[in-house]
Each structure stands twice: as structure tokens, then as C-alpha cells.
């Protein structure tokens, strides 16, 4: 099964799963971890996916982002998760704080249904206020699947995604 078919199959499953999901942790297990796996990462390998990744902020220690995708020992994508019913708008400030404390170039805020990808196009090492790419998994379009594929482990290239982000944003 190719990437597009896998994403569409997962998207169809999301609506069926949501009524059973009661907590943020259940959202992570049922929606977000399978999504990370669809991107080609082994969620059970801490060299690829680090849960509760420490992103300390100044004197505030113990700050953790839900997941970090790791490549060559460094975070490349930070993922902050919320319960699938939560509005994402008030939560990007939390991810904003984590972003500048790590080497990650990209971040993702998601509730397992809505996905918002951010980078630092406006000011280096400072997450932009607005996502450069967002979609709803239950209503994903073919062109969005093509953009999402760039985050797949096999195709991940910082410069390629940054160029696309710039085109999409501006």
C-alpha cells in the first residue's frame, strides 16, 4: 500500500475511533502514534521518536513536548498533542516556547484530527505565529497528502520542506 492509500485508510478510521477516545493520552495512542508511524517512524524506538522530550525553558526546568522526531541524535520535528475535541488555537503558545529551546526546524500542533505545521520563516529559531501547512485528516485533499509526504522519514529534507513552507506561506 502506498503512502496516499495509507493516509486515506487512516483518515477513514479516525471518525470511527473518536467516540471511544476520552483522554489526551487516548488521543495520542489511537490517533497520533499511528500517524507518526504512517510517516515512517518507529514510535517504539527512542532513537527515532522521543516521548516527553525535554525542552527546558530558561530557569523553568522539566518542560516537555509530547513527542520529538529524532534524526542523527537531534530533534527535527516537535509534536504537541491535545485531546481530539480541543480547539488548537490557545495552544500554539506552548509549542512556541518549546521551539526556540531545541534545534528542531519544524513543529506540529495536533489534536489527532487537525494538524498544524510550523517553522521559523519570519525570524530564525523563533516559531512563526501562523502554520505554513495545515489540514484536517478526516477531510484531507490529494495535494495535502503530497505536502505531508515530505515529512515522511524516507523523503524528509529540511531545505525542501523549508522552500515549500516559504512558497505556501508567502
Amino acid at each position: 500500500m502506498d503512502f496516499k492509500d495509507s493516509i486515506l485508510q487512516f483518515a477513514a478510521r479516525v471518525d470511527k475511533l473518536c467516540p471511544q477516545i476520552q483522554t489526551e493520552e487516548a488521543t495520542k495512542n489511537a490517533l497520533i502514534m499511528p500517524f507518526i508511524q504512517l510517516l515512517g517512524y518507529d514510535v517504539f524506538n527512542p532513537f527515532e521518536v522521543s516521548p516527553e522530550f525535554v525542552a527546558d525553558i530558561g530557569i523553568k526546568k522539566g518542560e516537555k513536548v509530547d513527542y520529538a522526531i529524532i534524526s542523527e541524535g537531534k530533534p527535527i520535528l516537535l509534536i504537541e498533542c491535545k485531546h481530539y475535541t480541543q480547539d488548537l488555537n490557545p495552544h500554539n503558545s506552548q509549542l512556541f516556547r518549546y521551539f526556540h529551546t531545541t534545534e528542531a526546524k519544524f513543529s506540529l500542533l495536533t489534536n489527532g484530527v487537525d494538524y498544524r505545521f510550523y517553522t521559523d520563516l519570519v525570524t530564525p529559531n523563533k516559531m512563526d505565529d501562523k502554520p505554513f501547512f495545515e489540514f484536517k485528516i478526516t477531510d484531507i485533499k490529494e495535494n495535502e497528502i503530497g505536502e505531508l509526504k515530505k515529512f515522511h522519514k524516507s523523503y524528509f529534507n529540511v531545505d525542501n520542506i523549508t522552500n515549500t513552507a516559504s512558497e505556501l506561506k508567502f
Side-chain angles (χ1 to χ4, degrees):
M1 186 179 317
D2 71 1
F3 182 73
K4 177 183 169 188
D5 292 335
S6 297
I7 292 294
L8 292 173
Q9 185 179 52
F10 174 69
R13 210 171 147 236
V14 168
D15 275 333
K16 294 178 190 129
L17 295 173
C18 285
Q20 285 300 115
I21 297 171
Q22 303 302 315
T23 64
E24 183 177 306
E25 200 61 33
T27 301
K28 291 179 194 175
N29 289 334
L31 303 179
I32 296 160
M33 286 173 60
F35 176 79
I36 293 169
Q37 285 184 305
L38 287 172
L39 293 179
Y41 300 96
D42 181 354
V43 295
F44 302 109
N45 179 348
F47 291 107
E48 284 190 18
V49 179
S50 179
E52 297 289 301
F53 185 78
V54 176
D56 287 338
I57 302 163
I59 59 169
K60 195 170 182 188
K61 301 295 180 198
E63 290 287 299
K64 295 178 178 129
V65 65
D66 290 310
Y67 298 100
I69 305 296
I70 308 293
S71 178
E72 298 175 13
K74 296 179 178 159
I76 56 172
L77 174 64
L78 303 177
I79 304 172
E80 183 61 26
C81 311
K82 298 299 168 196
H83 185 267
Y84 85 93
T85 60
Q86 279 199 315
D87 177 14
L88 295 178
N89 288 327
H91 298 289
N92 66 343
S93 61
Q94 185 180 7
L95 192 54
F96 182 89
R97 290 193 320 265
Y98 299 147
F99 189 84
H100 80 276
T101 67
T102 72
E103 297 177 58
K105 182 76 173 158
F106 305 102
S107 57
L108 167 61
L109 178 60
T110 184
N111 59 14
V113 177
D114 297 304
Y115 292 79
R116 296 179 181 174
F117 287 85
Y118 297 84
T119 191
D120 58 353
L121 295 172
V122 177
T123 306
N125 203 34
K126 183 179 174 190
M127 189 179 94
D128 296 340
D129 292 335
K130 297 194 183 321
F132 69 87
F133 174 48
E134 58 186 311
F135 63 90
K136 186 176 192 112
I137 193 71
T138 53
D139 189 32
I140 194 164
K141 312 284 187 281
E142 193 155 337
N143 65 316
E144 293 169 333
I145 294 172
E147 293 304 322
L148 180 59
K149 190 173 184 177
K150 293 174 183 173
F151 284 93
H152 190 280
K153 181 180 175 183
S154 301
Y155 305 100
F156 192 92
N157 176 291
V158 170
D159 294 334
N160 187 19
I161 298 171
T162 302
N163 289 340
T164 299
S166 188
E167 290 170 18
L168 292 172
K169 191 165 185 98
F170 302 116

